[in-house]
């Protein structure tokens, strides 16, 4: 039996300027270290066959499966605010697209599969550590209910990649509803290729926003739809303490999925100014800056779409500004609604926003753990004697003062304590991919070829809202000597 991929490729049918045709570069000795069996089934693939040596060769890019049309996609992008007219897939190759069980078109992409015409000075490869990190965090995001690319498989290549030291090489199979980014539009905008922008926009509408096909002004509606999805996405990031770390326009997906897990991290103690990425020296992509940067990135997208809006540039700009103006309100509504749920409010009243802000301020002052404070607040809603929420605060009296006001507020609603606790536990995860856990798992894999910790972490994170009494240690914040202060790009 050979592995069958039911490819139905559409991107590679677009004009040649959209990509470069390039096959993955074969590797020495591929070994499958993780297959996401449930996702394979969802994609219409046979997980048993993917686990054979032939499957591992495909997932490592050593064999190209029948029906694949491997391409590296062209894109540009603003990196830390600096425009780079040509980036492109330098170490990723799109094998093709399949229609999944829900009828959704999905890209199957190999990341780390060798050089492409877009590699510039890079080797086109990925190291095992970043591949495992992306696998863990993207699947954790999925389990948290946040739109994201997913991870189908990780293989080691049997070769080394040279970074600061020699490291084991690996390939991640990434699944996305598409890999089209704000930077894909910028690639054509900087070349003043309006026809390509139109082709790309049409492709995106059919693929991601089919409801807009018959809109009166489909390109305006497209911008509005992307703005809405990004605003919602960034709100969801904030609500779980996620910091993307490298929100460049080339890492901003048009479909509204979280993409490109490089130096990303979840915060432990709540600090709005938190930055983990070693290269983010100015804090451009700090936790609380993410909404502002999201809008900045969308403004770059709007600039690309102006020629499709109107021949009258002033008119086009005014229309774009109008659409971008919705970002703040959409974000704020999603964020405030999410926060209300996090503290167990079923209704909306004057003063709620201030009450919640006071909690966040107290958390910041008291270095309270973001995840555990909200999770344990759910326990306190169920049982006023449950004291783990207050224990997150350096000065528990601050929490007591706030909790008094909170109890008065929730008493105005008819829901029972048990109902409130269940609702809170459904939105406040017990388990997030804590940096120190992710690091420990990577060290075991890279140094000792031991994947048991990776397997266990992935398993725990698949059910983030369940208590999992056998795995409580995974909920713990790092001890002072376990704290991860910096994260690094996957290059
Ligand atoms: P990233 O920081 O992963 O979003 O990547 C930014 C750009 O650098 C993209 O165009 C990547 O394809 C490219 N790139 C990153 N790492 C490598 C590598 N090892 N080899 C070639 N290109 C790379
Ligand atoms: Mg990228």
């Amino acid at each position: 039996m050979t592995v069958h991929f039911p490819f139905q490729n559409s991107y590679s049918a677009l004009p040649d300027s959209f990509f470069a045709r390039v096959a993955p570069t074969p590797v020495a000795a591929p070994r499958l270290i993780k297959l996401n069996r449930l996702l394979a089934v969802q994609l219409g693939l046979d997980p048993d066959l993917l686990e054979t040596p032939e499957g591992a060769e495909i997932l490592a890019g050593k064999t190209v499966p029948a029906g694949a049309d491997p391409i590296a996609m062209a894109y540009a992008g603003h990196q830390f605010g600096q425009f780079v007219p040509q980036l492109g897939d330098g170490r990723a190759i799109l094998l093709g697209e399949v229609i999944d069980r829900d009828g959704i078109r999905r890209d199957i992409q190999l990341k780390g599969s060798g050089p492409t015409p877009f590699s510039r000075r890079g080797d086109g490869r990925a190291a095992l550590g970043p591949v495992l990190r992306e696998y863990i965090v993207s699947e954790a995001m999925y389990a948290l209910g946040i739109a994201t690319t997913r991870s189908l498989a990780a293989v080691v290549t049997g070769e080394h990649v040279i970074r600061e030291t020699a490291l084991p090489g690996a390939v991640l199979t990434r699944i996305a509803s598409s890999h089209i980014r704000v930077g894909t539009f910028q690639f054509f905008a900087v070349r003043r290729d309006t026809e390509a922008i139109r082709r790309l926009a049409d492709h995106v509408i059919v693929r991601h926003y089919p409801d807009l096909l018959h809109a009166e002004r489909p390109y305006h509606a497209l911008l509005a739809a992307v703005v809405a999805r990004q605003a919602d996405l960034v709100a969801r990031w904030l609500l779980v303490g996620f910091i993307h770390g490298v929100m460049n326009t080339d890492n901003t997906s048009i479909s509204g999925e979280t993409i490109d897990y490089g130096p990303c991290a979840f915060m432990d103690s709540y600090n709005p100014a938190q930055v983990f990425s070693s290269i983010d020296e100015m804090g451009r992509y700090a936790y609380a800056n993410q909404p502002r940067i999201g809008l900045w990135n969308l403004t770059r997208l709007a600039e690309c779409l102006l020629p499709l809006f109107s021949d009258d540039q002033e008119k086009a700009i005014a229309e774009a500004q109008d659409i971008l103006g919705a970002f703040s309100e959409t974000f704020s509504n999603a964020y405030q609604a999410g926060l209300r749920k996090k503290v167990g409010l079923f209704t909306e009243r004057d003063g709620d926003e201030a009450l919640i802000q006071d909690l966040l301020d107290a958390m910041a002052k008291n270095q309270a753990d973001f995840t555990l404070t909200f999770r344990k607040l759910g326990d306190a809603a169920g049982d006023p004697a449950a004291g783990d929420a207050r224990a997150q605060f350096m000065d528990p009296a601050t929490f007591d003062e706030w909790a008094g006001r909170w109890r008065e507020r929730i008493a105005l609603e008819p829901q029972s304590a048990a109902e409130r606790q269940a609702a809170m536990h459904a939105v406040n995860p017990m388990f997030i991919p804590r940096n120190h856990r992710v690091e420990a798992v990577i060290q075991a894999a890279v140094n000792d070829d031991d994947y048991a910790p990776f397997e266990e972490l992935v398993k725990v994170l698949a059910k983030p809202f369940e208590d999992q009494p056998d795995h409580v240690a995974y909920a713990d914040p790092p001890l002072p000597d376990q704290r991860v202060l910096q994260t690094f790009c996957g290059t």
Side-chain angles (χ1 to χ4, degrees):
M1 284 282 281
T2 56
V3 188
H4 171 66
F5 284 73
F7 285 120
Q8 293 192 32
N9 305 326
S10 66
Y11 203 82
S12 64
L14 289 168
D16 285 349
S17 54
F18 282 58
F19 51 80
R21 282 209 155 73
V22 55
T25 306
V27 295
R31 175 165 63 101
L32 181 68
I33 53 179
K34 181 69 183 170
L35 178 70
N36 190 337
R37 292 182 59 98
L38 288 175
L39 181 55
V41 171
Q42 169 71 15
L43 295 170
L45 307 173
D46 183 332
D48 293 330
L49 290 179
L50 284 172
E51 281 180 343
T52 62
E54 187 207 346
E57 289 198 354
I58 291 172
L59 296 168
K62 194 171 177 182
T63 309
V64 175
D69 192 359
I71 56 171
M73 289 167 65
Y75 53 85
H78 276 90
Q79 301 186 307
F80 290 90
Q82 296 296 319
F83 186 64
V84 184
Q86 180 166 312
L87 290 164
D89 287 333
R91 56 162 168 170
I93 291 176
L94 177 64
L95 287 181
E97 302 148 28
V98 298
I99 310 294
D100 78 6
R101 291 232 160 147
D102 297 325
I104 297 171
R105 183 178 293 277
R106 304 270 180 204
D107 277 5
I108 301 183
Q109 189 204 59
L110 302 180
K111 190 170 172 186
S113 53
T116 77
F118 302 110
S119 296
R120 293 171 293 162
R121 285 182 300 279
D123 60 2
R125 292 292 178 194
L128 176 58
V131 164
L132 295 180
R133 171 184 286 276
E134 174 153 353
Y135 192 106
I136 294 163
V137 184
S138 65
E139 287 302 303
M141 292 288 269
Y142 172 74
L144 288 165
I146 298 175
T148 177
T149 63
R150 298 198 57 194
S151 298
L152 175 65
V155 292
V156 284
T157 58
E159 295 176 3
H160 281 95
V161 296
I162 309 304
R163 297 293 180 259
E164 266 144 42
T165 56
L167 296 166
V171 177
L172 180 85
T173 306
R174 177 160 72 180
I175 307 301
S177 64
S178 87
H179 284 85
I180 302 166
R181 310 138 190 270
V182 169
T184 318
F185 282 90
Q186 291 180 290
F187 180 85
F188 297 111
V190 68
R191 287 163 181 77
R192 307 208 174 277
D193 188 346
T194 303
E195 263 330 288
I197 295 172
R198 194 184 309 276
R199 279 297 286 272
L200 183 61
D202 290 342
H203 178 90
V204 165
I205 289 172
V206 169
R207 193 160 171 180
H208 299 303
Y209 303 95
D211 293 353
L212 309 184
L213 267 173
H214 305 292
E216 203 177 309
R217 300 190 301 175
Y219 304 122
H220 294 74
L222 171 62
L223 179 62
V226 179
V227 166
R229 281 202 198 168
Q230 281 291 328
D232 186 66
L233 180 69
V234 175
R236 285 168 187 269
W237 288 354
L238 263 54
L239 292 166
V240 295
F242 178 76
I243 303 165
H244 183 284
V246 58
M247 283 178 78
N248 294 332
T249 56
D250 53 304
N251 295 335
T252 303
S253 147
I254 291 294
S255 76
E257 289 177 337
T258 312
I259 189 169
D260 260 356
Y261 293 88
C264 64
F266 282 72
M267 59 163 98
D268 295 300
S269 51
Y270 178 64
N271 168 14
Q274 182 73 57
V275 175
F276 286 103
S277 169
S278 63
I279 56 170
D280 190 3
E281 286 158 19
M282 310 295 284
R284 179 180 171 90
Y285 300 141
Y287 172 80
N289 257 353
Q290 296 182 113
R292 212 167 56 76
I293 294 292
L295 177 57
W296 193 90
N297 290 344
L298 291 163
T299 307
R300 304 289 80 77
L301 174 64
E303 288 163 359
C304 299
L305 295 175
L306 291 178
L308 306 189
F309 281 11
S310 170
D311 291 334
D312 174 348
Q313 210 194 3
E314 264 175 50
K315 181 165 173 278
I317 290 174
E319 289 168 352
Q321 277 170 340
D322 197 38
I323 295 167
L324 291 165
F327 180 91
S328 296
E329 195 182 333
T330 308
F331 165 78
S332 218
N333 288 343
Y335 179 60
Q336 290 299 335
L339 283 173
R340 273 198 305 277
K341 284 191 183 164
K342 284 181 85 66
V343 300
L345 299 183
F346 289 84
T347 53
E348 195 176 340
R349 285 178 183 252
D350 283 349
D352 286 350
E353 211 172 305
L355 178 71
I356 296 168
Q357 191 56 49
D358 288 347
L359 173 64
L360 291 170
D361 291 345
M363 287 165 65
K365 236 181 247 149
N366 284 271
Q367 295 176 25
D369 185 81
F370 183 80
T371 304
L372 286 184
T373 299
F374 286 108
R375 181 72 183 187
K376 301 301 178 180
L377 193 62
D379 293 339
D383 169 12
D388 284 354
R390 79 189 292 276
Q392 304 304 319
F393 289 71
M394 283 189 321
D395 173 15
T398 340
F399 174 79
D400 295 336
E401 185 274 326
W402 182 83
R405 292 162 55 205
W406 174 63
R407 289 200 185 282
E408 280 171 25
R409 171 64 182 85
I410 57 181
L412 301 175
E413 297 183 350
Q415 281 77 12
S416 71
E419 238 177 302
R420 175 162 286 104
Q421 174 171 333
M424 291 173 76
H425 280 187
V427 296
N428 293 321
M430 175 79 162
F431 301 101
I432 52 157
R434 299 219 179 237
N435 301 319
H436 66 296
R437 287 281 175 186
V438 175
E439 282 306 321
V441 157
I442 290 173
Q443 291 313 319
V446 172
N447 299 336
D448 307 324
D449 199 33
D450 177 5
Y451 291 90
F454 167 76
E455 286 290 342
E456 187 163 74
L457 182 62
V458 167
K459 209 169 126 200
V460 170
L461 294 174
K463 293 181 175 157
F465 299 108
E466 290 180 17
D467 271 323
Q468 304 189 52
D470 292 344
H471 297 294
V472 279
Y474 282 90
D476 291 342
L479 298 169
D481 65 327
Q482 292 175 321
R483 232 172 252 153
V484 174
L485 300 175
Q486 269 197 334
T487 54
F488 300 89
C489 272
T491 49

